[in-house]
Amino acid sequence: MSERIESHEGAADPLVSAVLAAVDEPAAVCDPTGRVRDWNDAFADRVGPVDAPADASFADLVDCASDPLVRAVETGEETIGRGPLDGTGREVTVAVRPVEREGSVSAVVATVSEPTDPFEDDRALYEASVDAAADAVYVVDRSHTIRAASDGFTRFTDIPTDRVEGRDVDCLRELGIVDGEVFHEGMRGLRALFAGEAESRHITSEVELAEGAGVVENRMRPIERDGEVVGVVNVVRDVTERERRREALATNRERLATILDDLPVLMMVTDADGRIDHCQGMDFDAFDCERSDVLDEPIDAFESVCPDVVAGFRRALDGETAFATETVNDRTYKVCLEPLSVSEGGTTAEATAQAADDAAADATSGAIAVAIDITDRTRREKALQTREQELRAVIESSADPIAMQDLDGRFQVVNEAMLATLDCDREDVIGSRHEDLFPDEFAQRVEAQRRAVLESERARVVEETLGSDGEETVIQLTFAPYHGPDYEVQGTVSIARDISELERQREELETLTEIQELVQESMRALTGATTSEAIQETVCDRLAESAFYEFAWIGQRQPGERELQPAYSAGAVGDYLESVTVNVDGSDHGGGPASKAYRTGDIQVVHDVRSDPDFEPWREAAVENGFQSVAAVPLTHGSTTHGLLGVYADRPNAFSQRELDGFETLGEVVGFALSSAQYRRLVEADSVLELEFEVRGETPFTEASREHDCRFEIEHAVRTGDNRVVNYLTVEGADPAVGESVARSLPNLEAIRRLDGDDGPHFEMTLTDSVFQYLADAGARGERGIVEDGVGHMQVEAPADADVRKITDAMAERFPVVDLVAKREKRRTEAPWWHSHGDIGARLTDRQRAVLKTAYYNGYYEWPRDADSEDLADSLDIAATTLLQHLRKGHRRILEAMFES
């Protein structure tokens, strides 16, 4: 049947009906989707009657493993399939031929026939043959069904043969062994072999093998029975490595060709008269002529340019071998010149070949010169000589001993540092071994390390100890192999470095790291201490219990006293503190290191108590207790010193600078903790001291109060962190704008904001370096400041047992003339409602108290509000969300104090 049948759709097409009637075998016409459109009687007899052609699918009638109809539409070529008839289970062969119209498949004709299996009789023979093959082998019949596959197939693909035997070859694509392009190429080969168009087909393709992607060679040959091709056997051989070698060979050949093209070699031949008749190779850009310019020129014409080469040509023409080195245009060439001889009746080319075998040439027919550009090599040799000289200079200038030994361990090269270390002459060292120069045990260990480097051909760094006890030297040895021109290991290079001091520094660094961690742990532990006693106990116990210090104590100055009194101590000592007096009176500049540390706020160190003259009054007691070095650490916060920490060690020079830096931070943290505890004690105390200070001297507020006959009141200070204080200014007897003008003239003003209250406060001020901050650092609280008639008054609250002198000093830090004009003790009875509802002051944190106070005085609780959360957050320099969080927690704690009690 022709594959170019022109047909119309529908069963009534007379041409289609005529075609079907002319076919003896069962046949049907289907559209490209596989729907049966028409059939002949033989088809109806074979598959049974079809009542509804428009609804019948050919795939429903014959169940082929790989639908041949779909493949025929895709490829436009005849396809063959095999499968059982629906309902009967009888195996049939299906041949599908496409029908084209206007360049596309418009229908297909499918014929059904009884399967003929020429393989059945010889199946055992086929299976034994393919299994015995080392390559992968499989056999395909005319229906494109894989009839047998060898065990090699499984080895190649890691897919069992029962997954492909009996299935259409399309399963190779479905299983991912080949891609679509390779599959279609193989199908074209099968069709050509079945049609008798070829005796064999060889296809090389990339496939997926058991070990990954690879390259295979398919050798396809037909199987004939009675002159008819009944099958095709495909022998598949893994040629991955062969192809890779082929690609590598092609690459190497390409590289070789490039190298030969670029080699700086020039060949020049002259005849017997000395005229140049051949020239090739080498780029002529380095010369002042073209290649064609030298041909047929006498060699003597170049004597002025390269006289040595011309002289060499003359010797070669006389039958001698000559060599010359010439420099032309900054390029250096090495030239070898040989005579060319020719036998009688022979040609020049023949003479060249014969001269290699016949030493008795009849006559000189010319000369040949081969020139090599050695400019770069010459430069490299000079550079190498320079580098060798530089390397020798570096080796000799090294302070570390450097040596080179051969494979047998004999010293070949040593530098001056090595000779100085050994205290030997060079002649005594060269040719010797380790055992000739060092103690036996040390020499054996070092030689073992050197041998290990030779075996592994890898460098290694080791540390060895040389010397006797008490005078041992720690040496760091670096061994590395060195190679010769042939890249073979020739021996070892070694560098020795004395790292005894480095080891000592390393140990000191480890100790310092542990000490710094101790200091950090002490600071972290302070977060859980809320009272002065707990703070002192935490710090002293941790320091005294460490492996680095023997004793620690904290001293504080009591009101009205000149001496530091021990508040807490820790460590296994006797009555040392009873024999120690530290006078810290400001008018007394004696008192030793501890007194100086307290007065100045700087750490003082006694590195050796036996020799430091400033420590003489306490030396005997310290030595009796085993102390050899002391550090006096002031406990400061802001401008106030709250006490002194003394730390004692049982070794001299125990406190390095980095260690002291850590103690300085510790002193600040402890000072802050003591200040906070003192302030907390003030807030929670039942009785307090009320102090009133008079401030004189010219300030912007005192001058303005006289000029405008007005009164300024500054109160309700709130610390916001970063040494900033927010307080509130009220102006009485003058326009509030006067207060704003005066505030803006203050050098420590950061911000000022007008408030809406008519009666005050009128302004919110943010200040740095504020007297309220100084008082808080001293453990007191500035209640309010009043300025009128050119005089200022500061009202201060402090704990009943506070050091008034310390508070007075804090005032004096900020103002030049300060006098304490009133001092009285007062019991707190002014808050009757919260005494019955718990201690609200104790429940609120400092931040919560500051936020609540700021909100209240800014009119946050007025209706309508005078300030919103953003305004308050700006005043306190915090985020609005953080402010609202503090407000909610503060409100909750106040309500808890009211309702839970």
Side-chain angles (χ1 to χ4, degrees):
M1 179 186 293
S2 171
E3 296 184 5
R4 302 288 299 176
I5 297 175
E6 296 294 336
S7 176
H8 299 283
E9 291 186 359
D13 191 316
L15 180 57
V16 172
S17 299
V19 170
L20 290 174
V23 179
D24 295 332
E25 296 177 333
V29 177
C30 304
D31 63 16
T33 65
R35 188 177 59 184
V36 179
R37 305 306 303 270
D38 203 355
W39 60 93
N40 61 8
D41 294 338
F43 184 84
D45 293 341
R46 177 62 60 85
V47 303
V50 180
D51 298 329
D55 299 328
S57 171
F58 189 82
D60 295 334
L61 301 176
V62 182
D63 184 15
C64 295
S66 177
D67 194 341
L69 188 143
V70 173
R71 288 190 282 118
V73 174
E74 289 179 351
T75 63
E77 300 177 358
E78 179 184 358
T79 60
I80 299 175
R82 186 185 180 102
L85 282 173
D86 182 39
T88 66
R90 287 183 300 159
E91 194 80 11
V92 296
T93 299
V94 179
V96 181
R97 297 176 176 84
V99 178
E100 294 185 4
R101 173 177 292 160
E102 298 178 358
S104 63
V105 176
S106 61
V108 294
V109 177
T111 61
V112 179
S113 60
E114 290 293 336
T116 58
D117 193 348
F119 296 93
E120 287 300 328
D121 296 338
D122 301 325
R123 174 173 297 276
L125 177 61
Y126 287 132
E127 291 178 351
S129 299
V130 297
D131 286 339
D135 300 320
V137 181
Y138 61 90
V139 179
V140 181
D141 64 13
R142 294 189 66 87
S143 65
H144 300 161
T145 300
I146 298 176
R147 302 307 303 272
S150 69
D151 292 340
F153 181 89
T154 301
R155 290 195 301 271
F156 271 40
T157 64
D158 206 19
I159 295 175
T161 56
D162 57 8
R163 294 189 61 187
V164 296
E165 289 181 338
R167 297 184 61 187
D168 192 281
V169 290
D170 193 43
C171 69
L172 301 178
R173 179 170 53 173
E174 295 173 358
L175 292 172
I177 300 174
V178 299
D179 59 19
E181 183 178 349
V182 173
F183 174 76
H184 289 305
E185 184 179 3
M187 289 299 295
R188 287 192 291 270
L190 283 176
R191 284 192 289 270
L193 291 171
F194 279 121
E197 297 173 357
E199 294 183 355
S200 65
R201 277 294 178 92
H202 289 181
I203 300 173
T204 302
S205 59
E206 293 185 0
V207 299
E208 192 66 27
L209 301 176
E211 297 179 354
V215 180
V216 298
E217 182 181 68
N218 296 267
R219 293 178 176 269
M220 304 167 67
R221 289 186 177 276
I223 301 173
E224 296 185 4
R225 174 72 59 79
D226 299 330
E228 179 185 2
V229 177
V230 297
V232 171
V233 60
N234 186 17
V235 179
V236 184
R237 176 166 296 175
D238 184 355
V239 295
T240 305
E241 289 302 321
R242 188 192 72 186
E243 291 300 311
R244 289 174 180 170
R245 289 195 299 271
R246 181 179 296 171
E247 291 178 3
L249 180 59
T251 301
N252 290 337
R253 285 175 176 170
E254 183 178 352
R255 290 175 180 171
L256 180 60
T258 302
I259 292 172
L260 292 176
D261 289 341
D262 296 336
L263 275 178
V265 178
L266 172 66
M267 184 177 69
M268 187 176 293
V269 180
T270 66
D271 58 18
D273 297 328
R275 289 186 175 276
I276 300 173
D277 62 7
H278 182 78
C279 183
Q280 72 176 47
M282 193 176 290
D283 189 357
F284 263 66
D285 291 343
F287 301 95
D288 295 329
C289 60
E290 297 294 332
R291 193 183 310 273
S292 58
D293 296 339
V294 304
L295 295 178
D296 205 32
E297 290 290 328
I299 192 66
D300 293 341
F302 300 94
E303 187 166 14
S304 61
V305 179
C306 45
D308 292 343
V309 173
V310 172
F313 263 114
R314 289 172 181 161
R315 290 196 297 273
L317 291 172
D318 291 338
E320 300 178 11
T321 297
F323 296 93
T325 301
E326 201 77 71
T327 300
V328 180
N329 293 338
D330 296 329
R331 304 298 297 179
T332 302
Y333 304 92
K334 184 174 182 179
V335 187
C336 176
L337 303 103
E338 293 279 358
L340 287 178
S341 300
V342 59
S343 300
E344 185 177 352
T347 64
T348 300
E350 293 170 347
T352 303
Q354 184 174 339
D357 301 321
D358 188 359
D362 293 337
T364 300
S365 63
I368 181 171
V370 178
I372 302 175
D373 187 343
I374 61 170
T375 305
D376 295 336
R377 187 182 74 183
T378 303
R379 290 173 181 172
R380 285 195 300 270
E381 289 174 352
K382 291 181 179 179
L384 181 59
Q385 292 175 357
T386 302
R387 283 197 296 270
E388 288 178 351
Q389 294 172 355
E390 293 173 349
L391 180 59
R392 170 63 69 176
V394 170
I395 291 175
E396 291 299 338
S397 64
S398 172
D400 296 327
I402 301 176
M404 295 179 66
Q405 294 167 269
D406 60 18
L407 294 174
D408 293 331
R410 296 186 181 278
F411 288 97
Q412 302 297 314
V413 177
V414 293
N415 67 348
E416 289 296 332
M418 179 78 169
L419 298 175
T421 301
L422 296 173
D423 193 19
C424 296
D425 295 331
R426 193 179 302 274
E427 294 77 11
D428 298 331
V429 177
I430 299 299
S432 62
R433 294 187 176 95
H434 281 131
E435 57 265 28
D436 301 325
L437 303 173
F438 300 101
D440 292 343
E441 186 177 350
F442 177 81
Q444 291 172 6
R445 294 199 306 269
V446 173
E447 181 61 20
Q449 298 289 355
R450 197 186 72 85
R451 287 291 175 187
V453 169
L454 291 175
E455 291 175 2
S456 65
E457 297 188 12
R458 298 183 64 180
R460 63 170 51 189
V461 180
V462 298
E463 292 183 7
E464 292 289 345
T465 302
L466 180 64
S468 59
D469 294 340
E471 296 182 1
E472 291 184 343
T473 301
V474 181
I475 301 173
Q476 183 187 72
L477 290 170
T478 302
F479 287 101
Y482 73 86
H483 301 79
D486 56 356
Y487 297 100
E488 292 293 329
V489 175
Q490 301 296 309
T492 57
V493 178
S494 60
I495 302 175
R497 174 166 295 178
D498 184 350
I499 60 170
S500 302
E501 179 64 19
L502 182 63
E503 286 295 304
R504 185 189 65 78
Q505 294 175 357
R506 184 187 303 169
E507 292 176 359
E508 289 183 356
L509 180 60
E510 292 175 355
T511 300
L512 178 60
T513 301
E514 294 179 12
I515 291 174
Q516 289 178 333
E517 179 60 26
L518 169 65
V519 173
Q520 294 295 326
E521 288 180 0
S522 300
M523 288 189 287
R524 288 193 292 269
L526 290 175
T527 59
T530 58
T531 65
S532 297
E533 293 77 10
I535 294 168
Q536 296 161 2
E537 181 179 350
T538 297
V539 175
C540 291
D541 286 351
R542 284 184 173 269
L543 293 176
E545 291 171 1
S546 73
F548 309 106
Y549 310 112
E550 301 298 311
F551 180 62
W553 69 285
I554 289 179
Q556 291 184 305
R557 180 178 180 180
Q558 300 301 319
E561 296 185 4
R562 301 174 59 189
E563 299 174 355
L564 284 181
Q565 297 297 326
Y568 188 85
S569 65
V573 294
D575 55 355
Y576 173 75
L577 290 179
E578 296 179 6
S579 61
V580 174
T581 300
V582 180
N583 192 323
V584 294
D585 192 286
S587 61
D588 186 354
H589 295 291
S595 177
K596 185 176 181 180
Y598 186 90
R599 293 195 313 269
T600 64
D602 297 326
I603 293 179
Q604 302 298 315
V605 183
V606 179
H607 291 293
D608 190 345
V609 299
R610 296 178 181 273
S611 59
D612 193 323
D614 292 337
F615 201 74
E616 195 276 334
W618 307 276
R619 179 175 298 131
E620 183 177 352
V623 171
E624 288 180 357
N625 286 277
F627 304 148
Q628 296 194 47
S629 55
V630 182
V633 183
L635 308 178
T636 60
H637 180 55
S639 61
T640 303
T641 299
H642 293 277
L644 183 84
L645 169 64
V647 185
Y648 296 74
D650 62 356
R651 61 194 184 282
N653 301 306
F655 301 95
S656 67
Q657 185 55 50
R658 292 181 63 182
E659 195 171 341
L660 294 175
D661 292 342
F663 274 112
E664 181 179 2
T665 303
L666 177 63
E668 293 173 354
V669 172
V670 175
F672 173 78
L674 291 173
S675 176
S676 299
Q678 189 173 3
Y679 190 79
R680 187 181 300 108
R681 191 157 49 87
L682 168 63
V683 172
E684 299 172 359
D686 293 331
S687 61
V688 296
L689 281 181
E690 285 189 343
L691 306 175
E692 182 175 347
F693 294 92
E694 184 177 274
V695 180
R696 294 186 177 275
E698 296 301 320
T699 67
F701 277 110
T702 58
E703 293 177 0
S705 67
R706 282 196 301 266
E707 181 180 351
H708 296 281
D709 192 22
C710 62
R711 182 176 186 269
F712 300 105
E713 183 172 331
I714 304 171
E715 59 181 343
H716 305 297
V718 176
R719 297 185 68 170
T720 65
D722 297 330
N723 297 322
R724 294 166 11 125
V725 174
V726 176
N727 48 31
Y728 299 91
L729 172 64
T730 301
V731 182
E732 297 179 359
D735 190 327
V738 173
E740 180 179 10
S741 176
V742 175
R744 292 190 181 277
S745 68
L746 297 175
N748 58 330
L749 180 77
E750 276 208 353
I752 185 169
R753 186 165 63 89
R754 179 68 184 260
L755 304 178
D756 293 335
D758 294 333
D759 299 330
H762 298 115
F763 299 98
E764 177 189 81
M765 299 187 301
T766 301
L767 302 172
T768 59
D769 198 37
S770 168
V771 68
F772 291 95
Q773 172 186 335
Y774 283 59
L775 290 169
D777 292 342
R781 179 169 60 194
E783 289 294 303
R784 64 180 56 82
I786 300 173
V787 182
E788 60 181 339
D789 298 330
V791 180
H793 291 268
M794 174 63 72
Q795 297 175 3
V796 179
E797 228 181 44
D801 59 349
D803 186 347
V804 177
R805 182 169 181 173
K806 185 188 298 184
I807 299 173
T808 303
D809 291 343
M811 287 289 297
E813 286 283 339
R814 191 63 185 83
F815 300 110
V817 182
V818 177
D819 294 320
L820 177 63
V821 297
K823 173 183 176 183
R824 51 188 174 272
E825 187 171 350
K826 171 185 174 184
R827 292 192 61 81
R828 283 180 171 163
T829 58
E830 294 83 357
W833 71 273
W834 73 52
H835 277 249
S836 60
H837 296 88
D839 189 351
I840 295 179
R843 291 173 178 263
L844 294 176
T845 65
D846 292 342
R847 176 61 72 178
Q848 291 165 0
R849 187 182 297 107
V851 170
L852 288 171
K853 183 184 290 187
T854 302
Y856 178 77
Y857 283 102
N858 275 274
Y860 181 77
Y861 297 105
E862 300 293 335
W863 185 259
R865 286 176 174 169
D866 295 335
D868 57 19
S869 60
E870 296 290 341
D871 296 329
L872 301 181
D874 290 340
S875 298
L876 297 172
D877 194 22
I878 58 177
T881 55
T882 303
L883 178 131
L884 293 174
Q885 184 181 32
H886 287 308
L887 276 178
R888 284 194 295 272
K889 289 184 177 180
H891 295 159
R892 180 179 179 83
R893 294 191 176 187
I894 291 175
L895 295 176
E896 286 175 349
M898 292 180 61
F899 298 127
E900 290 184 2
S901 60

